């Protein structure tokens, strides 16, 4: 299943990048495609190097020492050793909503942050399983993958904006005025849908690899149920651009809006973990 999720993710990434370059070519031919690709690469490079700093600052996470959080350090150190990964930096956010996230461009520059809310409602088994999920994100390079998808999708908005305001009056354009309006509306929508599909795929994979790392799928399933129930009642001051980082969606989405959700339905994640529990001990 992990291999299937990985292939699915990169197919979606390739589709997103291909759509981006195709739109650039449609707007400006070969030159437009080159500019579009260059814009995406610039966005990706900037986000790749600064993703951890941006996430830590946005969530107001503070570093904690081992003396301040000895049990937290012990769990992360044990899991990192099991995964043969470097020890990540550990942060705590004062957010009341129970949640957690991992960030960093690679395992050597990784950080794991938990909120004060999650430390209050999870038992040791459940917290350990959540930390295994977050370390799996690091080991799977999910932060990089999500950053690439997010950067390309964001660049779509700028590309469509430029097409509308700088190319809409060009009579020789293959799009025409109406076409540019449709492009302005549809291209970012399509990019957003693919980006969210990438994010949901990575959550499924981190659930599975985290459950295997912790040898405790039931604990992760129980943690997800607790986090989902509590997050409905406790708001989180989170920018929507950062929502994909967290183990459960810190923002509410339902109905048609669920197509743009960064996370799969919690009940589906729990069902998969319960099925995995029959084989992982």
């Amino acid at each position: 299943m992990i291999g299937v999720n990985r292939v699915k993710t990169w197919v979606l990434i390739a589709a997103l990048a291909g759509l981006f370059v195709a739109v650039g070519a449609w707007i400006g031919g070969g030159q437009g495609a080159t500019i579009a690709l260059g814009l995406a690469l610039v966005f990706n490079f900037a986000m790749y190097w600064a993703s951890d700093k941006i996430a830590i600052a946005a969530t107001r996470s503070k570093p904690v020492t081992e003396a301040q959080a000895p049990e937290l350090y012990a769990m992360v150190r044990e899991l990192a050793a099991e995964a043969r990964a470097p020890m990540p930096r550990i942060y705590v956010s004062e957010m009341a909503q129970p949640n957690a996230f991992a960030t960093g461009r690679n395992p050597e520059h990784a950080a794991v942050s938990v909120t004060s809310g999650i430390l209050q409602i999870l038992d040791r088994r459940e917290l350990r399983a959540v930390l295994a999920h977050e370390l799996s994100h690091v080991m799977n390079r999910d932060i990089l993958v999500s950053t690439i998808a997010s950067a390309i999708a964001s660049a779509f908005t700028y590309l469509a904006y430029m097409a509308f305001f700088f190319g809409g009056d060009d009579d020789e354009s293959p799009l025409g005025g109406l076409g540019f309006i449709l492009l302005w509306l549809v291209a970012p929508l399509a990019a957003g849908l693919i980006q969210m599909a990438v994010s949901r795929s990575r959550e499924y994979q981190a659930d599975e690899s985290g459950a295997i790392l912790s040898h405790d799928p039931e604990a992760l399933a129980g943690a997800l149920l607790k986090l989902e129930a509590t997050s409905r009642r406790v708001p989180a001051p989170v920018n929507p651009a950062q929502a994909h980082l967290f183990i459960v969606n810190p923002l509410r989405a339902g109905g048609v809006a669920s197509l743009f959700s960064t996370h799969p339905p919690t009940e589906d994640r729990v069902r998969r973990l319960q099925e995995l529990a029959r084989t992982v001990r």
Side-chain angles (χ1 to χ4, degrees):
M1 183 64 72
I2 290 178
V4 171
N5 280 325
R6 184 174 290 117
V7 170
K8 179 182 176 182
T9 296
W10 285 107
V11 167
L12 289 167
I13 288 285
L16 186 59
L19 179 61
F20 185 58
V21 175
V23 169
W26 194 20
I27 294 171
Q31 183 178 9
T34 301
I35 293 173
L37 181 58
L39 183 61
L41 291 174
V42 169
F43 271 51
N44 288 343
F45 183 81
M47 293 296 292
Y48 176 77
W49 286 99
S51 60
D52 56 338
K53 298 178 179 63
I54 292 171
I56 293 299
T59 56
R60 295 182 174 85
S61 297
K62 304 296 183 184
V64 292
T65 64
E66 188 166 4
Q68 293 171 315
E71 189 173 13
L72 186 60
Y73 264 80
M75 283 188 278
V76 174
R77 183 175 289 112
E78 174 203 350
L79 291 166
E82 176 78 13
R84 298 182 179 178
M87 180 73 178
R89 306 189 310 278
I90 299 179
Y91 292 79
V92 172
S93 168
E94 290 305 315
M95 281 173 50
Q97 185 187 92
N99 227 315
F101 70 88
T103 186
R105 62 184 183 269
N106 54 41
E108 290 72 31
H109 297 85
V112 173
S113 178
V114 296
T115 68
S116 58
I118 203 173
L119 296 175
Q120 295 172 12
I121 72 165
L122 297 189
D123 62 30
R124 189 183 188 283
R125 273 184 63 201
E126 292 166 339
L127 181 59
R128 180 176 177 275
V130 166
L131 293 170
H133 170 102
E134 297 305 332
L135 281 174
S136 292
H137 274 309
V138 173
M139 298 304 295
N140 295 337
R141 302 296 201 278
D142 285 343
I143 293 85
L144 173 59
V145 172
S146 297
T147 297
I148 292 172
S150 178
I152 297 176
S154 297
F156 256 110
T157 303
Y158 290 101
L159 184 63
Y161 177 89
M162 288 188 295
F164 181 73
F165 285 98
F166 298 105
D169 296 329
D170 186 357
D171 294 334
E172 296 181 0
S173 169
L175 295 177
L178 180 60
F180 273 109
I181 293 175
L182 292 174
L183 174 65
W184 191 41
L185 295 173
V186 173
L189 177 65
L193 287 171
I194 296 175
Q195 179 195 353
M196 295 303 103
V198 169
S199 180
R200 292 191 293 270
S201 177
R202 303 316 286 174
E203 286 303 320
Y204 280 133
Q205 181 169 330
D207 282 348
E208 184 173 353
S209 51
I212 292 172
L213 176 61
S214 66
H215 306 286
D216 203 349
E218 297 99 329
L220 182 54
L224 289 174
L225 289 173
K226 282 187 180 180
L227 297 177
E228 174 71 14
T230 308
S231 66
R232 292 178 183 273
R233 303 191 304 268
V234 182
V238 174
N239 187 309
Q242 305 295 330
H244 70 280
L245 292 172
F246 292 85
I247 188 169
V248 295
N249 193 343
L251 309 173
R252 295 294 93 213
V256 176
S258 63
L259 290 173
F260 293 93
S261 175
T262 53
H263 295 68
T266 297
E267 58 270 20
D268 193 25
R269 298 171 69 182
V270 168
R271 177 185 58 78
R272 289 179 178 223
L273 287 167
Q274 290 170 340
E275 292 175 355
L276 183 63
R278 301 188 185 101
T279 60
V280 176
R281 297 294 176 190

